[in-house]
Amino acid sequence: MTTVALKPATMAQALGRAMRDAMAADPSVHVMGEDVGTLGGVFRVTDGLAKEFGEDRCTDTPLAEAGILGTAVGMAMYGLRPVVEMQFDAFAYPAFEQLISHVARMRNRTRGAMPLPITIRVPYGGGIGGVEHHSDSSEAYYMATPGLHVVTPATVADAYGLLRASIASDDPVVFLEPKRLYWSKDSWNPDEPPAVEPIGRAVVRRSGRSATLITYGPSVPVCLEAAEAARAEGWDLEVVDLRSLVPFDDETVSASVRRTGRAVVVHESGSFGGPGGEIAARVTERCFHHLEAPVLRVAGFDIPYPPPMLERHHLPGVDRILDAVGRLQWEADS
Amino acid sequence: MTVMEQRGAYRPTPPPAWQPRTDPAPLLPDALPYRVLGTEAAAQVDPGLLRRLYAELVRGRRYNTQATALTKQGRLAVYPSSTGQEACEVAAALVLEDRDWLFPSYRDTLAAVARGLDPVQALTLLRGDWHTGYDPREHRIAPLCTPLATQLPHAVGLAHAARLKGDDVVALALVGDGGTSEGDFHEALNFAAVWQAPVVFLVQNNGFAISVPLAKQTAAPSLAHKAVGYGMPGRLVDGNDAAAVHQVLSEAIAHARAGGGPTLVEAVTYRIEAHTNADDATRYRGDAEVETWRGHDPIALLEHELTERGLLDDETIRTAREDAETMAADLRERMNQDPVLDPMDLFAHVYAQPTTQLLEQETQLRAELDAEDAAADGHAGHHGPEGAGR
């Protein structure tokens, strides 16, 4: 067995590498957005793409999100595969009409004649001390729109694999990038990027018997940390990383909850009308007779995203997750 | 003192680096709408083109009256008539090459039909059997767009993509006067100008956005004036003068095709009918105004020109009318047949591969339909058309 020289890579680098490899493999892939060219993106995710592929392939657009996504629709209609960047979660809102009225429905309204293979990259979520409008978790809006795929990686390898899969998808994908994981590192072989598998599959990040933490994106490392801390309490927690909110992997989630009998959904976005309500309902419908306790939610508060000096009180942390786990009526299990 | 003269009063002296990009004067539209019919310019127009425009206008008017009649018979859910605006619709279709793209809004069914689309396919959105009844790629006609102005950035993107691929393709996007107030109008024009995309924007200014008149829509001297702020030429044209619209659009498209970038064309016209058959236009405008515009009818204008110059004989008129009647009769007959719908189509085109959740819902609907069939078998009727493919 040959020794492979593993190198550390950040999630931001993995995302950039995914776009680079996709552009090299397919001349129809175009990256566009505000600041993605010369600057390489405000998070440097698109660093080097304009230099390598030219400004026609990696384009600094005017500052206008509806225009960015609207022109991407036309480009996709002509056979290109646009990868658009929305720079920050709350900056995407001006583009919602294009997203909901056109991007999500074009395949459907044309009876399959005109699919739109557009990837919409949205850096999302808090934890980086961003000022107002730079930390929203808007996944519930995207999940509620039929016709969109909604994907969010939690690891460096998934950032690469899921973005490659999203760009290759013939359907529009809202690709949510957890901002606070941009600088998280993992080792990989730069000559052999991680595997690309179809989007829509959840993965068990940590096996356990006591309860399942169902989570995604920025909350995955927090749940893994909580699971380690829970060992001191004698709790053996399983952590399921959804990776894809749409399509939703009922199979993996249900199988885990049936094994453990207890579940907590963890995410940053608000609880009311948030993803956790949908997930808890689906788990309850499928696993009711296996459940030893109600499915609980640990989420952000139902407030506009707080100012950065207060965000640590808003974001679900290890303690809040452990509190919820403690409310799962453990005594009934012994 | 004009606004332009006042500008120096509040704008600081620019630093040396400041350089105005272009002289805006060449971009400004004429003060009055450009006209061809009834002027000396008409003599320069190919008589064959005038006769073709005439035949298409007659056909277009008949299409509008037939579609409106179908709403009264309950065969169309709704129809936004373009009666009075046929010159814009027909010119938009005729100036494009086959490889070019048309981006219509919901009132532009006639432009799609004049481009060669099957009238029944063009009406599926308005009949309600499917949102888009044709393959956009086959006809190079984007889906009829109901949200206002959102099709404009699509036209820009497509034209831009075509140029990136080295294709000699121009996109023509249609929008109404109300649509020019939307943010997507601004973003589309700005992107088009910055990218020098080969796209032409045609604003059909028909006076009203449902009930709101132009004076409450904009404070600009004309909608064509909006072009100058984006750095593209604006042209103002009489939208009831088919020869003028055709000429101005042809020039704009040639300009775009040659790499000159986008143009904003405002065609001043009038919506003779209400917004749709569901609208009561008497609440917001008077008969006298409508009658004035009837006196500036696009068909009558062209007919007058052709007759004056001896280019129109009874035979040509009769042929045009007979062709229009044939089209209307065919449309009437085909629209009077119930469309054959497959309920399972609801799930067929949401994603390339249906999600497991959709597959479950599909199974549910199939079971419901089977139960309906089973119940109906006990009676004379049948819940759906034969051969619906499920």
Side-chain angles (χ1 to χ4, degrees):
Chain A
M1 189 175 142
T2 53
T3 311
V4 176
L6 291 175
K7 287 184 177 174
T10 65
M11 181 181 279
Q13 288 169 329
L15 292 165
R17 176 68 187 267
M19 281 182 273
R20 189 216 155 269
D21 289 355
M23 292 171 88
D26 180 353
S28 68
V29 176
H30 284 241
V31 170
M32 56 196 285
E34 166 82 2
D35 300 313
V36 299
T38 307
L39 182 66
V42 294
F43 295 106
R44 305 293 180 270
V45 174
T46 55
D47 196 22
L49 296 180
K51 205 170 194 178
E52 183 172 353
F53 297 100
E55 290 181 12
D56 284 347
R57 297 279 308 277
C58 179
T59 307
D60 275 332
T61 63
L63 203 176
E65 288 75 14
I68 293 168
L69 189 51
T71 52
V73 170
M75 290 165 72
M77 287 168 94
Y78 204 76
L80 301 186
R81 284 185 180 270
V83 181
V84 310
E85 178 179 298
M86 286 293 157
Q87 197 160 93
F88 283 95
D89 33 61
F91 296 2
Y93 300 149
F96 262 44
E97 184 180 17
Q98 284 293 340
L99 183 73
I100 287 158
S101 294
H102 293 297
V103 174
R105 328 162 44 110
M106 193 66 84
R107 171 187 287 280
N108 184 255
R109 67 205 283 234
T110 61
R111 287 192 197 234
M114 190 167 263
L116 293 181
I118 303 175
T119 302
I120 303 145
R121 296 180 40 241
V122 187
Y124 84 121
I128 64 160
V131 297
E132 193 180 15
H133 305 300
H134 289 70
S135 299
D136 283 14
S137 294
S138 28
E139 56 268 35
Y141 304 135
Y142 303 116
M143 287 173 70
T145 304
L148 300 176
H149 292 302
V150 185
V151 170
T152 178
T155 67
V156 174
D158 269 1
Y160 180 88
L162 289 173
L163 186 52
R164 286 297 304 270
S166 298
I167 295 170
S169 168
D170 286 333
D171 286 317
V173 180
V174 177
F175 192 87
L176 298 168
E177 300 176 1
K179 282 194 288 287
R180 62 168 146 149
L181 299 184
Y182 269 147
W183 303 280
S184 64
K185 285 186 182 172
D186 207 345
S187 295
W188 71 349
N189 175 4
D191 297 328
E192 198 176 313
V196 178
E197 59 176 303
I199 57 180
R201 291 194 194 140
V203 63
V204 176
R205 289 273 171 227
R206 183 193 192 280
S207 299
R209 299 175 290 104
S210 310
T212 302
L213 301 180
I214 305 165
T215 189
Y216 56 88
S219 294
V220 170
V222 184
C223 286
L224 289 171
E225 193 185 336
E228 284 306 307
R231 287 165 59 168
E233 310 282 337
W235 303 334
D236 182 19
L237 300 181
E238 182 148 308
V239 177
V240 174
D241 175 3
L242 293 173
R243 307 203 288 185
S244 161
L245 297 168
V246 181
F248 188 82
D249 186 353
D250 281 306
E251 197 180 333
T252 300
V253 171
S254 299
S256 172
V257 176
R258 284 174 188 167
R259 277 195 300 274
T260 63
R262 294 176 170 83
V264 180
V265 189
V266 182
H267 56 62
E268 283 188 16
S269 79
S271 185
F272 190 89
E278 172 66 26
I279 295 166
R282 303 191 75 81
V283 168
T284 306
E285 286 172 358
R286 281 165 177 73
C287 311
F288 184 75
H289 295 291
H290 300 263
L291 285 171
E292 304 286 342
V295 181
L296 299 181
R297 287 169 289 172
V298 175
F301 295 126
D302 295 321
I303 55 174
Y305 198 85
M309 294 177 79
L310 293 173
E311 68 177 344
R312 69 185 180 87
H313 301 290
H314 168 74
L315 295 172
V318 169
D319 288 345
R320 200 174 289 160
I321 295 167
L322 292 180
D323 281 350
V325 171
R327 280 187 279 127
L328 289 172
Q329 305 168 22
W330 295 97
E331 59 281 4
D333 193 36
S334 51
Chain B
M1 187 183 273
T2 67
V3 171
M4 293 299 277
E5 286 164 345
Q6 285 170 1
R7 204 163 53 166
Y10 59 84
R11 174 172 288 176
T13 307
W18 174 277
Q19 287 194 339
R21 290 184 56 186
T22 53
D23 177 0
L27 303 176
L28 281 168
D30 295 335
L32 292 173
Y34 177 70
R35 282 180 183 158
V36 167
L37 299 179
T39 75
E40 289 177 5
Q44 309 300 317
V45 185
D46 171 24
L49 173 64
L50 290 179
R51 278 196 287 253
R52 179 151 184 232
L53 285 168
Y54 175 77
E56 288 290 343
L57 286 181
V58 170
R59 194 164 173 266
R61 175 65 50 84
R62 188 67 190 88
Y63 176 79
N64 272 320
T65 55
Q66 184 57 61
T68 301
L70 287 166
T71 65
K72 291 171 182 157
Q73 294 153 14
R75 283 290 171 182
L76 264 184
V78 66
Y79 185 68
S81 170
S82 58
T83 291
Q85 302 178 217
E86 290 97 339
C88 301
E89 299 282 312
V90 161
L94 296 194
V95 295
L96 296 178
E97 303 286 343
D98 279 352
R99 63 188 179 279
D100 295 332
W101 275 73
L102 180 70
F103 285 78
S105 77
Y106 58 86
R107 198 181 297 286
D108 304 314
T109 350
L110 176 54
V113 170
R115 185 162 166 73
L117 185 64
D118 178 344
V120 172
Q121 289 186 341
L123 287 172
T124 55
L125 170 76
L126 301 164
R127 177 162 64 174
D129 47 313
W130 203 261
H131 303 310
T132 302
Y134 54 92
D135 180 347
R137 278 187 227 280
E138 184 188 343
H139 303 277
R140 266 82 62 199
I141 302 172
L144 294 163
C145 189
T146 310
L148 291 186
T150 53
Q151 78 278 19
L152 304 184
H154 304 173
V156 177
L158 182 134
H160 177 63
R163 204 177 57 150
L164 289 179
K165 285 191 170 185
D167 294 343
D168 187 22
V169 166
V170 177
L172 172 60
L174 309 181
V175 66
D177 42 305
T180 65
S181 298
E182 294 277 3
D184 279 46
F185 174 83
H186 158 65
E187 298 194 17
L189 266 67
N190 192 47
F191 271 67
V194 169
W195 286 351
Q196 287 290 285
V199 59
V200 176
F201 303 98
L202 173 61
V203 180
Q204 293 181 62
N205 170 10
N206 66 16
F208 294 89
I210 303 190
S211 69
V212 178
L214 188 69
K216 290 184 181 176
Q217 199 68 244
T218 181
S222 79
L223 297 172
H225 273 77
K226 290 175 182 261
V228 66
Y230 298 104
M232 73 174 75
R235 297 293 308 275
L236 189 61
V237 63
D238 183 338
N240 288 22
D241 180 337
V245 181
H246 190 277
Q247 187 181 327
V248 167
L249 285 181
S250 295
E251 287 168 6
I253 282 165
H255 182 71
R257 212 186 293 284
T263 302
L264 173 65
V265 178
E266 175 189 358
V268 182
T269 183
Y270 196 79
R271 164 172 41 85
I272 292 294
E273 303 294 332
H275 167 61
T276 69
N277 49 300
D279 171 36
D280 176 9
T282 63
R283 294 174 73 101
Y284 54 84
R285 66 187 193 186
D287 290 343
E289 181 181 301
V290 181
E291 285 312 306
T292 302
W293 277 94
R294 280 191 202 279
H296 193 59
D297 182 84
I299 299 177
L301 285 177
L302 190 50
E303 203 169 87
H304 181 73
E305 178 81 36
L306 285 166
T307 308
E308 287 280 295
R309 291 171 57 190
L311 295 171
L312 195 65
D313 53 29
D314 291 347
E315 175 66 16
T316 310
I317 296 174
R318 193 169 62 246
T319 304
R321 289 182 182 165
E322 281 173 6
D323 284 353
E325 274 315 315
T326 304
M327 181 272 302
D330 176 64
L331 177 60
R332 201 162 51 233
E333 188 194 324
R334 289 164 66 208
M335 290 293 286
N336 275 324
Q337 294 161 15
D338 290 324
V340 176
L341 304 179
D342 180 0
M344 300 319 287
D345 262 5
L346 290 173
F347 300 100
H349 307 296
V350 184
Y351 297 100
Q353 301 294 329
T355 62
T356 50
Q357 292 78 28
L358 278 182
L359 289 173
E360 287 168 11
Q361 293 169 14
E362 191 177 357
T363 304
Q364 179 190 344
L365 178 60
R366 193 181 295 279
E368 289 171 8
L369 293 170
D370 289 345
E372 281 181 31
D373 278 346
D377 282 346
H379 306 283
H382 191 269
H383 84 84
E386 295 292 343
R390 46 175 191 85

